[in-house]
Amino acid sequence: MKITRPYIIGEIGINHNGSLKLAKKYIDYAHKNKIDFVKFQIYKTDNLVLKNSKTAPYQKKNTKVNSQYKLLKKLEFSFKKHFELFKYCKNKKTKYLASPFDIESAKFLVEKINCKIVKIPSGEITNNILLSYLSKKKLEIILSTGASNLKEISKAIKVLLSNKLIKPRNITLMQCTTDYPAQFDEINLNVLSTFKKKFNLNIGISDHSQGLLVPIASMIYNPKYLEKHITINKKLSGPDHKSSLDFKEFSELI
């Protein structure tokens, strides 16, 4: 079997810690190291969580913040800032990618900055309102499947294909374990074979484990996309820094 290099996604997510300057440093690194995409998370906190929502245990441990609302509000970039990052990526010849968590954010990506590829985060795989909106656009979809079952994945694919504007060849299913960091015995790379047999779509890996073992092992499945979180410093306060690769590790991965 011929194994080809996957498209590599450097998941910045919210590892910019609310700093536009830091976000641009990640883009500079991606440009220098030929990372195919840098990915952000785009959301409106008020559309996403209630003000009394509590942080998940790993978030509380890594941030010392009890309120999910306060945590996300602090890390939220405005659409204006995302547009600036989109333009910065364009100037650096690095592809901007984002995961929308609500309709307003999805409309910004598709209608305002004309993104042709949209990454659906694991938490929104059952968000049929969001999926229905995207199904009415000619897009490539990268769909993360963390914490979902095969029935939910099948339904999400059906919704995305319902208007026949998104083609099966333009959907990639990403195996993802929703844990930060994910333990090796929770990864289940073999589900990629199940995805191929059951859905006949492109497959990929969105990895939250520590180190390089899982990304390297995943290559035997010939994924189209490989996504890893990236951080400038694992010791920074923030929910995802500890389950990310630092610049040195990411360079080794490439």
Side-chain angles (χ1 to χ4, degrees):
M1 181 182 70
K2 182 182 178 182
I3 295 177
T4 57
R5 179 191 186 276
Y7 293 108
I8 296 176
I9 302 171
E11 162 73 284
I12 297 167
I14 48 179
N15 280 353
H16 50 68
N17 281 15
S19 165
L20 201 61
K21 184 178 179 181
L22 180 54
K24 288 179 178 178
K25 282 186 178 180
Y26 286 115
I27 296 169
D28 290 339
Y29 169 81
H31 167 70
K32 184 179 178 182
N33 289 275
K34 295 182 173 58
I35 296 173
D36 300 293
F37 296 85
V38 290
K39 190 178 83 68
F40 295 91
Q41 294 174 9
I42 183 168
Y43 59 88
K44 292 286 189 180
T45 306
D46 290 295
N47 295 342
L48 190 58
V49 296
L50 298 172
K51 290 190 176 179
N52 62 354
S53 298
K54 302 296 184 184
T55 47
Y58 83 92
Q59 293 173 324
K60 185 176 179 181
K61 180 180 178 182
N62 293 340
T63 65
K64 312 302 181 189
V65 177
N66 293 319
S67 166
Q68 181 80 241
Y69 182 88
K70 288 181 179 178
L71 175 66
L72 291 179
K73 197 69 176 175
K74 181 182 176 183
L75 298 172
E76 178 186 318
F77 271 164
S78 66
F79 291 164
K80 184 178 179 181
K81 287 183 177 178
H82 274 284
F83 184 61
E84 186 173 339
L85 291 172
F86 171 77
K87 289 193 297 182
Y88 193 79
C89 284
K90 198 170 183 180
N91 289 335
K92 292 287 181 178
K93 294 181 172 57
T94 299
K95 293 176 184 174
Y96 168 97
L97 185 64
S99 292
F101 286 77
D102 56 80
I103 285 285
E104 194 178 350
S105 299
K107 285 183 176 180
F108 168 79
L109 291 176
V110 176
E111 298 175 21
K112 296 297 183 184
I113 60 175
N114 200 29
C115 284
K116 298 300 184 185
I117 306 176
V118 174
K119 168 82 187 295
I120 299 172
S122 292
E124 305 309 315
I125 195 169
T126 55
N127 185 343
N128 287 334
I129 296 171
L130 176 62
L131 300 181
S132 287
Y133 166 76
L134 294 171
S135 76
K136 296 167 187 172
K137 309 294 178 181
K138 288 184 179 180
L139 296 168
E140 180 179 346
I141 297 292
I142 303 172
L143 178 63
S144 266
T145 61
S148 62
N149 57 39
L150 289 174
K151 185 177 179 180
E152 289 166 333
I153 295 168
S154 185
K155 185 176 180 180
I157 294 167
K158 187 176 180 180
V159 174
L160 289 168
L161 295 174
S162 60
N163 286 291
K164 299 182 179 179
L165 290 174
I166 296 172
K167 305 300 180 184
R169 66 176 179 273
N170 289 329
I171 297 178
T172 299
L173 292 181
M174 303 284 275
Q175 164 58 353
C176 177
T177 301
T178 305
D179 197 7
Y180 302 84
Q183 303 304 305
F184 292 133
D185 61 356
E186 298 174 334
I187 300 300
N188 189 19
L189 285 177
N190 281 334
V191 82
L192 291 170
S193 295
T194 302
F195 285 171
K196 277 187 176 179
K197 290 174 185 175
K198 184 172 178 63
F199 301 113
N200 194 28
L201 300 172
N202 299 313
I203 51 97
I205 177 81
S206 177
D207 179 42
H208 297 148
S209 69
Q210 293 178 315
L212 307 181
L213 178 60
V214 171
I216 292 169
S218 73
M219 289 304 100
I220 65 168
Y221 298 93
N222 233 351
K224 181 175 180 179
Y225 290 101
L226 167 62
E227 179 182 271
K228 280 288 277 189
H229 278 71
I230 185 170
T231 181
I232 200 165
N233 188 340
K234 292 185 183 184
K235 294 181 180 179
L236 287 175
S237 175
D240 299 333
H241 290 288
K242 288 184 179 177
S243 56
S244 304
L245 298 180
D246 61 27
F247 284 0
K248 183 176 181 294
E249 290 172 319
F250 217 101
S251 295
E252 289 174 1
L253 173 64
I254 295 167

